[in-house]
Coordinates of all heavy atoms in Angstrom, one line a residue:
M33 N 20.6 30.7 14.0 CA 19.8 31.9 13.9 C 20.5 33.1 14.6 O 20.8 32.9 15.8 CB 18.4 31.6 14.5 CG 17.5 32.7 14.4 SD 15.7 32.4 14.9 CE 15.7 30.9 15.9
P34 N 20.6 34.2 14.0 CA 21.2 35.3 14.6 C 20.3 35.9 15.8 O 19.1 35.8 15.7 CB 21.4 36.4 13.5 CG 20.3 36.0 12.5 CD 20.2 34.5 12.6
P35 N 21.0 36.4 16.8 CA 20.2 37.0 17.9 C 19.3 38.2 17.4 O 19.6 38.8 16.4 CB 21.3 37.5 18.8 CG 22.6 37.0 18.4 CD 22.4 36.6 17.0
T36 N 18.3 38.4 18.1 CA 17.4 39.5 17.8 C 17.1 40.2 19.1 O 17.5 39.8 20.2 CB 16.1 39.0 17.2 OG1 15.3 40.1 16.8 CG2 15.3 38.1 18.1
T37 N 16.5 41.4 19.0 CA 16.2 42.2 20.2 C 14.7 42.2 20.6 O 13.9 42.2 19.7 CB 16.7 43.6 19.9 OG1 18.0 43.6 19.7 CG2 16.4 44.5 21.1
M38 N 14.4 42.2 21.9 CA 13.1 42.3 22.3 C 13.1 43.4 23.4 O 14.0 43.5 24.2 CB 12.6 41.0 23.0 CG 11.2 41.1 23.6 SD 10.7 39.5 24.4 CE 10.2 38.6 23.0
T39 N 12.1 44.3 23.3 CA 12.0 45.4 24.3 C 10.9 45.1 25.3 O 9.8 44.7 24.9 CB 11.6 46.7 23.5 OG1 12.6 46.9 22.5 CG2 11.5 47.9 24.5
V40 N 11.2 45.3 26.5 CA 10.3 45.2 27.6 C 10.2 46.5 28.4 O 11.2 47.1 28.7 CB 10.7 44.0 28.6 CG1 9.8 43.9 29.7 CG2 10.9 42.7 27.8
R41 N 9.0 46.9 28.6 CA 8.8 48.2 29.4 C 8.7 47.9 30.9 O 7.9 47.1 31.3 CB 7.6 48.9 28.9 CG 7.7 49.3 27.4 CD 6.7 50.3 27.0 NE 6.7 50.5 25.6 CZ 7.6 51.2 24.9 NH1 8.6 51.8 25.5 NH2 7.6 51.4 23.6
L42 N 9.5 48.6 31.7 CA 9.5 48.4 33.1 C 9.5 49.8 33.8 O 10.1 50.8 33.2 CB 10.8 47.7 33.6 CG 11.1 46.3 32.9 CD1 12.5 45.9 33.3 CD2 10.1 45.3 33.5
D43 N 9.0 49.9 35.0 CA 9.2 51.2 35.7 C 10.6 51.1 36.3 O 11.3 50.1 36.3 CB 8.1 51.4 36.7 CG 8.1 50.5 37.9 OD1 9.1 50.0 38.3 OD2 7.0 50.2 38.4
S44 N 11.1 52.2 36.8 CA 12.5 52.3 37.3 C 12.7 51.3 38.5 O 13.8 50.8 38.6 CB 12.9 53.7 37.7 OG 12.0 54.2 38.7
A45 N 11.8 51.1 39.3 CA 12.0 50.2 40.4 C 12.1 48.8 40.0 O 13.0 48.0 40.4 CB 10.8 50.3 41.4
E46 N 11.3 48.4 39.0 CA 11.4 47.0 38.4 C 12.7 46.8 37.7 O 13.4 45.8 37.9 CB 10.3 46.8 37.4 CG 8.9 46.7 38.0 CD 7.8 46.7 37.0 OE1 7.9 47.3 35.9 OE2 6.7 46.2 37.4
K47 N 13.2 47.8 37.0 CA 14.4 47.7 36.3 C 15.6 47.6 37.3 O 16.5 46.8 37.1 CB 14.7 49.0 35.4 CG 16.0 48.9 34.6 CD 16.2 50.2 33.8 CE 17.5 50.1 33.1 NZ 17.8 51.3 32.4
S48 N 15.6 48.4 38.3 CA 16.6 48.3 39.4 C 16.6 47.0 40.0 O 17.7 46.4 40.3 CB 16.4 49.4 40.4 OG 16.6 50.7 39.8
L49 N 15.5 46.5 40.4 CA 15.4 45.2 41.0 C 16.0 44.1 40.2 O 16.8 43.3 40.6 CB 13.9 44.8 41.4 CG 13.7 43.4 42.0 CD1 14.3 43.3 43.3 CD2 12.2 43.2 42.1
I50 N 15.6 44.0 38.9 CA 16.1 43.0 38.0 C 17.6 43.2 37.8 O 18.3 42.2 37.8 CB 15.3 43.1 36.6 CG1 13.9 42.6 36.9 CG2 16.0 42.2 35.6 CD1 12.9 42.9 35.7
S51 N 18.0 44.4 37.6 CA 19.5 44.7 37.4 C 20.3 44.2 38.6 O 21.3 43.6 38.4 CB 19.7 46.1 37.0 OG 19.1 46.5 35.9
D52 N 19.8 44.6 39.7 CA 20.6 44.3 41.0 C 20.6 42.8 41.2 O 21.6 42.2 41.6 CB 19.9 45.0 42.2 CG 20.1 46.5 42.2 OD1 20.9 47.0 41.3 OD2 19.4 47.2 43.0
Y53 N 19.5 42.1 40.9 CA 19.4 40.7 41.1 C 20.4 40.0 40.2 O 21.1 39.1 40.6 CB 18.0 40.2 40.9 CG 17.7 38.8 41.4 CD1 17.3 38.5 42.7 CD2 17.9 37.7 40.5 CE1 17.1 37.2 43.1 CE2 17.7 36.4 41.0 CZ 17.3 36.2 42.2 OH 17.1 34.9 42.7
A54 N 20.4 40.4 38.9 CA 21.3 39.8 37.9 C 22.7 40.0 38.3 O 23.5 39.0 38.3 CB 21.0 40.3 36.5
A55 N 23.0 41.2 38.7 CA 24.4 41.5 39.2 C 24.8 40.7 40.4 O 26.0 40.2 40.5 CB 24.5 43.0 39.5
A56 N 23.9 40.5 41.3 CA 24.2 39.7 42.5 C 24.7 38.3 42.1 O 25.4 37.6 42.9 CB 23.0 39.7 43.5
F57 N 24.2 37.8 41.0 CA 24.5 36.4 40.6 C 25.5 36.4 39.5 O 25.8 35.4 38.8 CB 23.2 35.6 40.2 CG 22.4 35.3 41.4 CD1 21.4 36.1 41.9 CD2 22.7 34.1 42.2 CE1 20.7 35.8 43.0 CE2 22.0 33.8 43.3 CZ 21.0 34.7 43.7
G58 N 26.1 37.5 39.2 CA 27.2 37.6 38.2 C 26.8 37.4 36.8 O 27.6 36.8 36.0
T59 N 25.6 37.8 36.4 CA 25.1 37.6 35.1 C 24.6 38.9 34.5 O 24.3 39.8 35.3 CB 24.1 36.5 35.0 OG1 23.7 36.2 33.7 CG2 22.8 36.8 35.8
S60 N 24.4 39.0 33.2 CA 23.9 40.2 32.6 C 22.3 40.1 32.8 O 21.7 39.1 33.0 CB 24.2 40.2 31.2 OG 23.6 39.2 30.4
V61 N 21.7 41.3 32.7 CA 20.3 41.4 32.7 C 19.7 40.5 31.6 O 18.7 39.8 31.7 CB 19.8 42.8 32.6 CG1 18.3 42.9 32.4 CG2 20.2 43.6 33.9
S62 N 20.3 40.6 30.4 CA 19.8 39.9 29.2 C 19.8 38.4 29.5 O 18.8 37.7 29.2 CB 20.7 40.3 28.0 OG 20.2 39.6 26.9
E63 N 20.9 37.9 30.0 CA 21.1 36.5 30.2 C 20.1 36.0 31.3 O 19.5 35.0 31.3 CB 22.5 36.1 30.6 CG 22.7 34.6 30.9 CD 22.4 33.7 29.6 OE1 22.5 34.2 28.5 OE2 22.0 32.5 29.8
F64 N 20.0 36.8 32.4 CA 19.1 36.5 33.5 C 17.6 36.4 33.0 O 16.9 35.5 33.3 CB 19.2 37.6 34.6 CG 18.1 37.4 35.6 CD1 18.1 36.3 36.5 CD2 17.1 38.4 35.7 CE1 17.1 36.2 37.5 CE2 16.1 38.3 36.7 CZ 16.1 37.2 37.6
V65 N 17.2 37.4 32.2 CA 15.8 37.4 31.7 C 15.6 36.3 30.8 O 14.6 35.6 30.9 CB 15.5 38.8 31.1 CG1 14.1 38.7 30.4 CG2 15.5 39.9 32.1
R66 N 16.5 36.1 29.9 CA 16.4 35.0 28.9 C 16.2 33.6 29.6 O 15.3 32.8 29.3 CB 17.6 35.0 27.9 CG 17.5 33.9 26.9 CD 18.7 33.8 25.9 NE 20.0 34.3 26.4 CZ 20.5 35.5 26.2 NH1 19.8 36.4 25.5 NH2 21.6 35.9 26.7
T67 N 17.1 33.4 30.5 CA 17.1 32.1 31.3 C 15.9 31.9 32.1 O 15.2 30.9 32.1 CB 18.4 32.0 32.2 OG1 19.5 32.1 31.4 CG2 18.4 30.7 32.9
T68 N 15.5 33.0 32.8 CA 14.3 32.9 33.6 C 13.0 32.7 32.8 O 12.2 31.8 33.2 CB 14.1 34.2 34.4 OG1 15.3 34.4 35.2 CG2 12.9 34.2 35.3
V69 N 12.9 33.4 31.7 CA 11.7 33.2 30.9 C 11.6 31.8 30.3 O 10.6 31.1 30.3 CB 11.6 34.3 29.8 CG1 10.6 34.0 28.7 CG2 11.4 35.6 30.4
L70 N 12.8 31.3 29.7 CA 12.8 30.0 29.1 C 12.5 28.9 30.2 O 11.8 27.9 29.9 CB 14.1 29.8 28.4 CG 14.3 30.6 27.1 CD1 15.7 30.5 26.6 CD2 13.2 30.4 26.1
E71 N 13.1 29.1 31.4 CA 12.8 28.1 32.4 C 11.3 28.1 32.8 O 10.7 27.0 33.0 CB 13.6 28.4 33.7 CG 15.1 28.0 33.5 CD 16.0 28.4 34.7 OE1 15.5 29.0 35.7 OE2 17.2 28.1 34.6
R72 N 10.7 29.2 32.8 CA 9.3 29.3 33.2 C 8.4 28.6 32.1 O 7.5 27.9 32.4 CB 8.9 30.8 33.3 CG 7.4 31.0 33.4 CD 6.8 30.5 34.7 NE 5.4 30.6 34.8 CZ 4.8 31.6 35.4 NH1 5.5 32.5 36.1 NH2 3.5 31.7 35.4
I73 N 8.8 28.8 30.8 CA 8.1 28.1 29.7 C 8.2 26.6 29.9 O 7.3 25.9 29.8 CB 8.5 28.6 28.4 CG1 8.1 30.1 28.2 CG2 8.0 27.8 27.2 CD1 8.7 30.8 27.0
E74 N 9.5 26.2 30.1 CA 9.7 24.8 30.3 C 8.9 24.2 31.5 O 8.3 23.1 31.3 CB 11.2 24.5 30.5 CG 11.5 23.0 30.6 CD 13.0 22.8 30.8 OE1 13.8 23.7 30.8 OE2 13.4 21.6 31.0
D75 N 8.9 24.9 32.6 CA 8.1 24.4 33.7 C 6.6 24.3 33.4 O 5.9 23.3 33.8 CB 8.2 25.4 34.9 CG 9.6 25.4 35.5 OD1 10.4 24.4 35.2 OD2 9.9 26.3 36.3
E76 N 6.1 25.3 32.6 CA 4.6 25.2 32.2 C 4.4 24.1 31.3 O 3.4 23.4 31.5 CB 4.2 26.5 31.6 CG 4.2 27.7 32.5 CD 3.1 27.7 33.5 OE1 2.0 27.1 33.2 OE2 3.2 28.2 34.6
L77 N 5.3 23.8 30.4 CA 5.1 22.7 29.5 C 5.2 21.3 30.2 O 4.4 20.4 30.0 CB 6.1 22.7 28.3 CG 6.0 23.9 27.4 CD1 7.2 23.9 26.4 CD2 4.7 23.8 26.6
D78 N 6.1 21.3 31.2 CA 6.2 20.0 32.0 C 5.0 19.8 32.8 O 4.5 18.7 32.9 CB 7.4 20.1 32.9 CG 8.8 20.0 32.2 OD1 8.8 19.6 31.0 OD2 9.8 20.3 32.9
L79 N 4.4 20.9 33.4 CA 3.2 20.7 34.1 C 2.0 20.3 33.3 O 1.3 19.4 33.7 CB 2.8 22.1 34.8 CG 1.5 22.1 35.6 CD1 1.6 21.0 36.7 CD2 1.3 23.5 36.2
K80 N 1.9 20.8 32.1 CA 0.8 20.3 31.2 C 1.0 18.9 30.8 O 0.1 18.1 30.8 CB 0.8 21.2 29.9 CG 0.3 22.6 30.3 CD 0.0 23.4 29.0 CE -0.4 24.8 29.3 NZ -1.5 25.0 30.3
A81 N 2.3 18.4 30.5 CA 2.5 17.0 30.2 C 2.2 16.2 31.4 O 1.6 15.1 31.2 CB 4.0 16.9 29.8
W82 N 2.5 16.6 32.6 CA 2.2 15.8 33.8 C 0.7 15.7 34.0 O 0.1 14.7 34.3 CB 2.8 16.5 35.1 CG 2.5 15.7 36.3 CD1 3.1 14.6 36.8 CD2 1.4 15.9 37.2 NE1 2.5 14.2 38.0 CE2 1.4 15.0 38.2 CE3 0.3 16.9 37.2 CZ2 0.5 14.9 39.2 CZ3 -0.6 16.8 38.2 CH2 -0.5 15.8 39.2
E83 N 0.0 16.8 33.8 CA -1.5 16.8 33.9 C -2.1 15.8 32.9 O -3.1 15.1 33.3 CB -2.1 18.2 33.7 CG -1.8 19.1 34.9 CD -2.1 20.6 34.6 OE1 -2.3 21.0 33.5 OE2 -2.1 21.4 35.6
R84 N -1.6 15.8 31.7 CA -2.1 14.8 30.7 C -1.9 13.4 31.1 O -2.7 12.5 31.0 CB -1.5 15.1 29.3 CG -2.1 16.3 28.6 CD -1.7 16.4 27.2 NE -0.3 16.4 27.0 CZ 0.5 17.5 27.0 NH1 -0.1 18.7 27.1 NH2 1.8 17.4 26.8
A85 N -0.6 13.2 31.6 CA -0.3 11.8 32.0 C -1.1 11.4 33.2 O -1.5 10.2 33.3 CB 1.2 11.8 32.3
K86 N -1.3 12.3 34.2 CA -2.1 12.0 35.4 C -3.5 11.7 35.0 O -4.1 10.7 35.5 CB -2.0 13.2 36.3 CG -2.9 13.1 37.6 CD -2.3 12.1 38.5 CE -2.9 12.2 39.9 NZ -4.0 11.3 40.1
A87 N -4.1 12.4 34.0 CA -5.5 12.2 33.6 C -5.6 10.8 32.9 O -6.5 10.1 33.1 CB -5.9 13.3 32.6
E88 N -4.5 10.5 32.1 CA -4.5 9.2 31.5 C -4.4 8.1 32.5 O -5.1 7.0 32.4 CB -3.3 9.1 30.5 CG -3.2 7.8 29.7 CD -2.0 7.8 28.8 OE1 -1.7 8.9 28.2 OE2 -1.4 6.8 28.7
F89 N -3.6 8.2 33.5 CA -3.4 7.2 34.6 C -4.7 7.1 35.4 O -5.2 6.0 35.7 CB -2.3 7.6 35.5 CG -2.2 6.6 36.7 CD1 -1.7 5.4 36.5 CD2 -2.7 7.0 37.9 CE1 -1.6 4.5 37.6 CE2 -2.6 6.1 39.0 CZ -2.1 4.9 38.9
D90 N -5.4 8.2 35.7 CA -6.6 8.2 36.5 C -7.7 7.5 35.7 O -8.5 6.8 36.3 CB -7.1 9.6 36.8 CG -6.2 10.3 37.9 OD1 -5.5 9.6 38.5 OD2 -6.3 11.5 38.0
A91 N -7.7 7.6 34.4 CA -8.7 6.9 33.5 C -8.4 5.4 33.5 O -9.4 4.6 33.4 CB -8.7 7.5 32.1
D92 N -7.2 5.0 33.6 CA -6.8 3.6 33.6 C -5.6 3.4 34.5 O -4.5 3.4 34.0 CB -6.5 3.1 32.1 CG -6.2 1.6 32.0 OD1 -6.4 0.9 33.0 OD2 -5.6 1.2 31.0
P93 N -5.8 3.2 35.8 CA -4.7 3.1 36.7 C -3.9 1.8 36.7 O -3.2 1.5 37.7 CB -5.4 3.3 38.0 CG -6.8 2.9 37.9 CD -7.1 3.1 36.4
Q94 N -3.9 1.1 35.7 CA -3.1 -0.1 35.6 C -1.6 0.2 35.5 O -1.2 1.1 34.7 CB -3.5 -1.0 34.4 CG -2.7 -2.2 34.2 CD -3.1 -3.0 33.0 OE1 -3.9 -2.6 32.2 NE2 -2.4 -4.1 32.8
T95 N -0.8 -0.4 36.3 CA 0.7 -0.2 36.3 C 1.4 -1.5 35.9 O 0.9 -2.6 36.1 CB 1.2 0.3 37.6 OG1 0.9 -0.6 38.6 CG2 0.5 1.7 38.0
I96 N 2.7 -1.3 35.5 CA 3.5 -2.5 35.2 C 4.9 -2.2 35.9 O 5.3 -1.1 36.1 CB 3.7 -2.8 33.7 CG1 4.3 -1.6 33.0 CG2 2.3 -3.2 33.1 CD1 4.6 -1.9 31.5
S97 N 5.5 -3.3 36.2 CA 6.8 -3.2 36.9 C 7.9 -2.8 35.9 O 7.8 -2.9 34.7 CB 7.2 -4.5 37.6 OG 7.5 -5.5 36.6
A98 N 9.1 -2.4 36.5 CA 10.2 -2.1 35.7 C 10.7 -3.3 34.9 O 11.1 -3.3 33.8 CB 11.4 -1.5 36.5
A99 N 10.6 -4.5 35.5 CA 11.0 -5.7 34.9 C 10.1 -6.0 33.7 O 10.6 -6.5 32.6 CB 10.9 -6.9 35.9
Q100 N 8.8 -5.7 33.8 CA 7.9 -6.0 32.7 C 8.2 -5.0 31.5 O 8.2 -5.4 30.4 CB 6.4 -5.8 33.1 CG 6.0 -6.9 34.0 CD 4.6 -6.6 34.7 OE1 4.4 -5.5 35.2 NE2 3.7 -7.5 34.6
I101 N 8.6 -3.8 31.9 CA 9.0 -2.8 30.8 C 10.2 -3.3 30.1 O 10.3 -3.2 28.9 CB 9.2 -1.4 31.5 CG1 7.8 -0.8 31.9 CG2 9.8 -0.4 30.4 CD1 7.9 0.4 32.7
A102 N 11.2 -3.7 30.9 CA 12.5 -4.2 30.3 C 12.2 -5.4 29.4 O 12.8 -5.5 28.3 CB 13.4 -4.6 31.4
E103 N 11.3 -6.3 29.8 CA 11.0 -7.5 29.0 C 10.4 -7.0 27.7 O 10.6 -7.6 26.6 CB 10.0 -8.4 29.7 CG 10.6 -9.2 30.8 CD 9.6 -10.1 31.6 OE1 8.5 -10.3 31.0 OE2 9.9 -10.5 32.7
K104 N 9.5 -6.0 27.7 CA 8.8 -5.6 26.6 C 9.7 -4.8 25.6 O 9.6 -4.9 24.4 CB 7.6 -4.8 27.0 CG 6.7 -4.3 25.8 CD 5.4 -3.7 26.3 CE 4.5 -3.3 25.2 NZ 3.3 -2.7 25.6
Y105 N 10.5 -3.9 26.1 CA 11.2 -3.0 25.3 C 12.7 -3.2 25.1 O 13.4 -2.6 24.3 CB 11.0 -1.6 25.8 CG 9.5 -1.2 25.7 CD1 8.7 -1.1 26.8 CD2 9.0 -0.8 24.4 CE1 7.4 -0.7 26.7 CE2 7.7 -0.5 24.3 CZ 6.9 -0.4 25.5 OH 5.6 -0.1 25.3
L106 N 13.3 -4.0 26.0 CA 14.8 -4.2 25.9 C 15.1 -5.6 25.3 O 14.5 -6.5 25.3 CB 15.4 -4.1 27.3 CG 15.3 -2.7 27.9 CD1 15.9 -2.6 29.3 CD2 15.8 -1.6 27.0

């Protein structure tokens, strides 16, 4: 898929902060913003998956050992 453009409105202080931060780590603003946003989305999705798994475990806290998992699936 070819790259596309997204516009974000910032005040000058926000723009300077983001630009300076990206430059300090030797990356472009575009790459910094892209990476940061995608990592945030991944973190949120991971948290939601953990919350579902935790709720499932809380409803039925039965556990099995690694050996039992190996016997069942390997």
Side-chain angles (χ1 to χ4, degrees):
M33 177 171 24
T36 187
T37 301
M38 177 181 280
T39 302
V40 177
R41 297 194 188 282
L42 304 167
D43 66 32
S44 61
E46 293 168 334
K47 181 181 178 188
S48 292
L49 176 63
I50 292 169
S51 297
D52 292 348
Y53 193 90
F57 288 93
T59 187
S60 67
V61 170
S62 180
E63 182 61 25
F64 170 70
V65 171
R66 179 179 32 259
T67 302
T68 302
V69 169
L70 292 174
E71 286 176 359
R72 172 66 184 261
I73 291 169
E74 182 180 357
D75 290 347
E76 291 290 329
L77 293 173
D78 288 346
L79 178 58
K80 289 190 184 310
W82 179 85
E83 288 169 346
R84 285 191 303 271
K86 177 75 166 94
E88 184 180 321
F89 175 77
D90 288 344
D92 181 15
Q94 179 181 0
T95 60
I96 59 175
S97 69
Q100 290 170 310
I101 292 172
E103 285 176 20
K104 183 173 183 177
Y105 295 105
L106 299 179

